[in-house]
Amino acid sequence: MGAQIRVYRQKISSTTSMRKIFKAMELIATSRIGKARARVAASLPYANAITRAVSAVASQSEIDHPLVTEPEQIRRAAVLVITSDRGLAGSYSASVLKQAEGLNELLHAEGKEVKTYLVGRKSQAYFDFRNREYARVWTGGTDAPEFSTAREIGAALLADFAADFEDGGVDEIHVVYTRFKSMVTQEPTVIRLLPLEVVEEEAASESELLPLYEFEPETEQVLDALLPRYIESRLFAAMLQAAASELAARQRAMKSAGDNATDLIKKYTRLRNTARQAEITQELSEIVAGADALAS
């Protein structure tokens, strides 16, 4: 009985320590989620403004630009997968990777090669464990992304988009990330960046019309200048959405883990008390039996 009580005491002690860690991580995620949501909201005005500018150029001009023209044959597609660097966030990274696998299957079914780019150590570990190739990987700071990283990713994707197929170039670019909807809901999402699909975060009303522009210099030169910035803003917005989703998922996962730890502590405490009571009862029975033996 004594050994059993010691086991329960050790389990209670270790579970209590784990609960403290879960609580600390929950508080850290809670403190950071507000800043992450503020960064998402702050990025919208610029993203929407440059989206309207690109929309005006792409929709009001009859041009043949590779960034806005659908190619006759798409032979290779680039897929950028945005996950987290750290775990303990529930099924956050697993949901993104599942969405990416579904996209890969769809692209392969259409006869397209897939060239993969990764953001986050979780996606890198996933591909390394399965000995699957990927073109490039960016790690570090997924819960607090920097615009310089989005700029570097955009430059790499645009360089491959401009390259020939024989040189490893791609014909279209997809991004898989998690869209932040609320503290409870985060949705794995796939968007196609190129060829251009203009999608605003906040849709304009049907009565809102884009103004008419006269472009100077030529429209192609305007697109050459605008589209890299447009791609960077879309990538950075996706990274900010993913960061907010990661923190919300971690906060929810740590709260659930802390609640489960509390339930385990209660369970082990009851089992320990039951074992102690049984031990005391046995000792009393032995004392009474010994006293009866001496009396007889």
Side-chain angles (χ1 to χ4, degrees):
M1 287 294 180
Q4 190 176 19
I5 292 175
R6 284 195 299 272
V7 170
Y8 287 136
R9 285 175 177 170
Q10 292 173 355
K11 289 184 176 181
I12 291 171
S13 178
S14 61
T15 306
T16 302
S17 299
M18 292 177 63
R19 183 176 62 177
K20 292 180 180 178
I21 296 174
F22 297 150
K23 184 63 176 179
M25 296 192 66
E26 178 189 352
L27 293 175
I28 292 172
T30 303
S31 65
R32 292 181 177 177
I33 187 65
K35 183 178 180 180
R37 295 177 67 179
R39 294 185 72 189
V40 172
S43 68
L44 288 178
Y46 175 79
N48 289 339
I50 197 169
T51 296
R52 284 192 292 269
V54 174
S55 300
V57 180
S59 62
Q60 298 181 17
S61 304
E62 296 180 359
I63 59 173
D64 185 15
H65 195 282
L67 298 183
V68 298
T69 303
E70 190 79 22
E72 295 182 359
Q73 181 182 8
I74 298 177
R75 294 172 291 180
R76 182 183 294 129
V79 177
L80 175 68
V81 184
I82 302 177
T83 61
S84 65
D85 284 324
R86 297 183 294 133
L88 298 178
S91 61
Y92 167 74
S93 293
S95 299
V96 178
L97 292 169
K98 181 179 179 181
Q99 190 79 9
E101 291 288 9
L103 176 62
N104 287 342
E105 292 178 2
L106 177 62
L107 294 175
H108 284 304
E110 295 174 352
K112 303 173 184 176
E113 297 182 21
V114 177
K115 190 173 184 179
T116 306
Y117 303 79
L118 306 176
V119 176
R121 294 189 180 93
K122 284 299 178 180
S123 57
Q124 183 182 18
Y126 179 86
F127 277 75
D128 287 342
F129 181 77
R130 291 161 177 77
N131 295 319
R132 294 169 58 179
E133 295 183 356
Y134 48 87
R136 287 191 62 179
V137 60
W138 292 267
T139 59
T142 56
D143 57 349
E146 299 293 337
F147 185 74
S148 58
T149 305
R151 179 177 296 166
E152 182 180 346
I153 297 173
L157 293 177
L158 284 174
D160 282 349
F161 188 78
D164 294 332
F165 176 81
E166 292 75 13
D167 298 329
V170 299
D171 300 311
E172 64 179 2
I173 300 174
H174 300 268
V175 180
V176 186
Y177 70 103
T178 305
R179 181 184 294 273
F180 180 86
K181 289 190 171 182
S182 67
M183 289 295 296
V184 180
T185 305
Q186 299 87 41
E187 179 183 352
T189 305
V190 178
I191 60 173
R192 193 181 79 163
L193 278 183
L194 293 177
L196 183 63
E197 286 186 344
V198 178
V199 179
E200 292 197 32
E201 293 294 333
E202 298 178 356
S205 62
E206 295 181 358
S207 59
E208 182 180 353
L209 298 177
L210 289 172
L212 296 176
Y213 293 100
E214 292 184 2
F215 301 104
E216 186 175 336
E218 296 298 327
T219 307
E220 289 79 2
Q221 298 181 32
V222 175
L223 273 180
D224 289 338
L226 280 179
L227 280 171
R229 291 172 174 78
Y230 170 77
I231 297 301
E232 292 168 3
S233 68
R234 292 294 301 276
L235 288 174
F236 189 51
M239 294 170 66
L240 291 176
Q241 293 264 358
S245 300
E246 176 187 348
L247 291 171
R250 181 168 292 113
Q251 188 267 346
R252 191 168 60 252
M254 290 301 96
K255 185 179 185 308
S256 177
D259 293 342
N260 291 337
T262 300
D263 293 339
L264 278 177
I265 291 172
K266 292 179 180 179
K267 175 183 176 182
Y268 290 144
T269 301
R270 285 196 299 268
L271 292 173
R272 182 198 62 185
N273 294 339
T274 301
R276 182 188 297 171
Q277 185 177 8
E279 183 180 21
I280 293 173
T281 302
Q282 183 178 356
E283 291 177 353
L284 290 175
S285 299
E286 291 173 355
I287 292 172
V288 171
D292 291 342
L294 290 174
S296 63

